[in-house]
Structures are given as structure tokens and as C-alpha cells.
Amino acid sequence: MISRRGFLVGSAALPFLSYASIIPTLAAGRQDILVVAQQLDNMTSLDPHESFEAVGSEICSNIYQRLVHPAFDDPEKIEGGVAASWEADAEGKVFTFKINREAKFASGSPVTAEDAAFSLQRAIKMDKGAAFIINQFGFTPDNVEKSIVAVDDSTLTLTVETPTSLAFLLYCLSSSVGSIVEKKVVLENASGDDLGNGWLQKNSAGSGEWVLVSWKPSESIMLSVNPNGAYKGNVKRIILRHVVDPSSQLLMLQKGDADIARNLTTEQLRVLQGDENYNVIRKGVAGLILMSLNQKNENLAKPQVWEAIKWAVDYKGIQENIVPLTHEIHQTVVPDGFAGAVNDTPFHKDTEKAKALMAEAGLADGFDIVMDHYSAQPYPDIAQAIQANLREIGIRVQLQAAENRQVLTKMRAREHQMALTAWGSDYFDPNTNVDVFCNNTDNSDNAKTKPFAWRSSYMNEEFAKKAVAARDERDPATRIKLYQDLQREFMQNSPFIIMLQKTEIAACRKDVTGMHLGTLSDSHSYARIAKA
């Protein structure tokens, strides 16, 4: 059998840094403190109406409530959060929510319909990256105060432009951008017309189980229990430490310097197999690893090159030798587990076919290209494998590693050539991924909306039309069929090479219970955490 190291061509050993040597021993023997070792470098903000990265959304979902959220044990079902009940009118245009009068902010103030209206209006007015999730219902900065209204303290109404499925609206409102903030506190900390954005990036004003104490980028996050929240366990403080190296995370777990390790790779997980001192929680999640080819590059703009790269990659080898315990092969934009997901895997390594496509593109001699990727594992190992695969068809890849948020910032500025990154779904409906990959209606640099496809300068008007048609289809069976057909077209005719779907891992010491991993990144929860 080929070893992991043998599979990687030209791989270099990563330097080892024992974070345990510089972190006080807080975890061992302290029931009231939970220490988590985790890669935290992809966050740019903890304002829930701005945060649009996986870890940031996870943290926000532990600090804030939304009107509704997917059920813990069945994400296809919606449960009330701030909202106690909801209903749609006969036309499907006016939606009424009754607020749970027992919900309280960390300040002790009750959550009101006015707070909920302000929060949703704020997300639309700020118009940050995640705003598209709810502005797709026709809300704009100009009309939102008339469309989202607090009728009284306990009644909120949303009026949309066109008839909309209640289920689809609820799933969108369950995303992190639907978080409810305390209006009074946020406005008291506003600077100019920023609606409190500068303050809320590193402070909190929520009604969730936890309160943000501090965030030091690429270092740590500290949460304390919300005295007015729903949490009833014995943990009073959660300390999340940024630990890049999975081997260091494992060492911390073994020494008792961490209660939970969140980013162990196959190598470390094999060490824990069969050890009764640890409980490894696994959950298939809506996270995809993919390559994006920027269409501003003339070589990458050729469809034959898209296809050549798809046939050059050794998906099976990468999955079996690098990520066998943490990822599965997946090649379509809708993750497995979602309604309408297509699990076809037509692409496999076929070097001769890929070379023929390169020749057809007029690039038989190949070309030089730079590929950005996250510096945290398993991305460096996967990047090296891709580099070796593409070298066989003449594409000479220079690898460029950086922190997660640096790679994302570069992509958001459309400055990458190739990028190996991850994409996590925002809500439990196939539209969440299909929309951002297919529906780019303005490809200009100063476009008002900038979906994932826009980042790589990719625009396909036919795919955009089909994405909207699938989204708006009222018949469930027809809607699923439209999404399935579109996925198969997209995987054959786009500059995105979707490779793997993630299995989320939380390795816990045996005295820790209640760690919950959800299908979406913003449903990973410490709401039931306890420590013996």
C-alpha cells in the first residue's frame, strides 16, 4: 500500500510547535472551563451580519439566536429560536412571527419584535457578503423598513416581493446572517452610520447560550456563559485556542491541556482509535474542498483546460492516502445529505485524456500558474498531490500557502489564479450552493452582489436562469429534478473542480459530553456541553 508520505511528491516535513508548552494548564481538573484546540484563522469579523466564514458563523451561532433554526437531531425540520410560532398568508407573501417572550439578551432585557426587525433591517442596510441570503426575497436598503416591521413587541411581519415557500424562507432566516442582536446596545456603540459594525466585530449583544469576552485574531476566543440564556450545564467559560498543527492539537488533548481537538487529521485520529480515554464525534457536513480557476487568466479561461484538470486529478489517491477518515469524494455543488444532491463521480485520473484536452486547447506544452491554498492541514498535502498530478499534463503549479483569511481576502479581490479552498453551505436547501456558484448576474469588478462564481470572474447566463427557475419552482418533485439536472451540467461545464466533502471531527476527552456537530458549520453547538 502506498504510504501518505510516499504519495506526496516533494513533500516537506512541517515544523512542530508544542502549543502545550505555552498554554496554562486550564483544562485538566477544571469542570467550569472548557478548552478547545482549533484552527481559528479564517475569521474576519464576529459581527453576525458580516461574518461569512465557517468558524466565524459557528461562533456567532453560539452567541446569537435566530428567529428559527434547524432541529439539532434532524436539520430538515425547523424549530423556533427567538420566534415561538410563524405562519404565511394564503398568497405566500406576508409572513408573521410571534416572538418568544421568555427569550432574554445577555443584558437581561427581553428580546422583542423591534430587536428582530432592527437586526434583519441592519443585515440588509449593511449589505455585507452574507446579505444575499435574505435580500433575495426583494429586501433592499430603501424598502426594508416597510417590508420588515415590528407590529408590536411580540409580532414581526415580513412582506416579500413575490410568492415564496415558507420552508425556503425559514431555512434562509436560520442562517447566521439572521441572528438577532439587541438594538439598544448596538446603537449605543455605533460610530457614525456604521450601525455598530466596528464594535460588534469583537463584542457581542446576543441572547444565545454564550457571550463573547474576547477575540484575538489567530490566537484565541473566549466565551462566558450567558446568565440569562438557556444553558444549564456546569461549564462557565469556553476558551478556544488557535492551534494550526493537528499534531500539537493531539498533544494538548493527550496532556489534558485541551478538552476537545477540532482539526485532527487521519494521522492523529489513528492514534486515538480504540482508546477509551477519548470520544471521537463524527458528522458528515456540508463542507466541500474544491479548486477555483480565475477566468481572468487566459489559459484558465479555456473550457478544455477546465476539463483537463478535472481528468488529471487523482481523487481516489488523495482521499485514500491523505484524508481517508475525514473526507469522501464528492464532485457536485450540492453536498451529500441535501435534498436533490447528485452523488455522481464521473471524473477520475486519466492522464492521457487530460493531455489530449490540453493539446486541443493549444496548450500541449502546458503553462505556469500559481495556486493559493490554506496553510493548515490537510490543504498543503492535497495541494502537493494536485501539483504532482498537474505536472504530468504540463501545468507547472507554484504553491502559495497562507492563513485561511488571507487566501479568502485574495479571492474576494479576484486576485488569485488558482485557489484550493473550502466552501460551506449557509442553509439547508440546495439553493444555498447552486445560487452562489451559478447565479452571477454582474461580472464587473464593482458588482453589487459578489457570489462565489464572481470571485473567479465566472458568469454563465443559462446557469443563472436555471438556478432561479429551480429556486422558484413550487412543486417539490419538479424542483428536485431541476436541481439534479443543473448539477450534472455544471460539473461538466464550469471552472470549479469539486473534489471532496468533509466529515467534521471533534475529539473529546472522556469527561466531556454534549458536543454537538451539525450538518452546517453554523450548527456546531456548545449548548449542551458538560464536563465531569
Side-chain angles (χ1 to χ4, degrees), residues 316-337:
K316 187 172 184 288
I318 289 171
Q319 192 277 328
E320 290 182 349
N321 293 285
I322 300 177
V323 290
L325 300 182
T326 58
H327 294 77
E328 296 293 335
I329 296 172
H330 189 79
Q331 296 181 348
T332 62
V333 294
V334 178
D336 182 32

Side-chain angles (χ1 to χ4, degrees), residues 46-117:
L46 286 177
D47 182 333
H49 301 143
E50 179 178 40
S51 178
F52 198 33
E53 299 87 22
V55 177
S57 295
E58 174 186 323
I59 302 303
C60 288
S61 72
N62 282 276
I63 297 171
Y64 299 95
Q65 290 180 291
R66 285 88 77 192
L67 286 170
V68 295
H69 60 81
F72 257 47
D73 302 318
D74 184 357
E76 292 193 35
K77 296 180 180 178
I78 289 290
E79 295 180 340
V82 165
S85 64
W86 49 89
E87 63 180 9
D89 69 352
E91 194 179 357
K93 294 183 70 174
V94 180
F95 301 86
T96 302
F97 295 83
K98 289 293 184 179
I99 303 302
N100 178 2
R101 299 310 301 270
E102 295 183 3
K104 289 186 178 181
F105 289 109
S107 67
S109 298
V111 179
T112 68
E114 181 61 30
D115 293 302

Side-chain angles (χ1 to χ4, degrees), residues 124 137-149 159 161:
I124 296 298
F137 298 102
F139 303 130
T140 69
D142 293 330
N143 71 21
V144 70
E145 290 188 9
K146 294 181 179 179
S147 302
I148 301 178
V149 177
T159 303
E161 278 190 339

Side-chain angles (χ1 to χ4, degrees), residues 402-431:
E403 282 196 334
N404 191 305
R405 67 172 174 270
Q406 293 174 313
V407 176
L408 292 176
T409 298
K410 189 173 182 179
M411 285 191 73
R412 288 168 178 166
R414 306 172 114 183
E415 293 175 351
H416 65 291
Q417 294 180 10
M418 293 175 62
L420 174 68
T421 61
W423 180 260
S425 302
D426 296 301
Y427 50 92
F428 200 71
D429 185 276
N431 184 71

Side-chain angles (χ1 to χ4, degrees), residues 215-275:
W215 168 38
K216 298 179 181 179
S218 296
E219 185 178 324
S220 65
I221 296 172
M222 188 177 296
L223 307 175
S224 64
V225 68
N226 175 2
N228 298 297
Y231 177 73
K232 304 301 180 185
N234 62 347
V235 174
K236 303 303 179 186
R237 181 157 293 190
I238 300 175
I239 300 172
L240 298 101
R241 293 284 186 177
H242 176 53
V243 184
V244 176
D245 182 13
S247 296
S248 294
Q249 290 193 17
L250 176 61
L251 181 60
M252 289 176 63
L253 191 70
Q254 292 172 321
K255 293 184 66 176
D257 291 324
D259 298 297
I260 302 175
R262 291 288 303 276
N263 305 106
L264 302 188
T265 66
T266 293
E267 275 190 85
Q268 293 82 43
L269 291 171
R270 283 175 173 154
V271 174
L272 300 181
Q273 283 182 331
D275 192 328

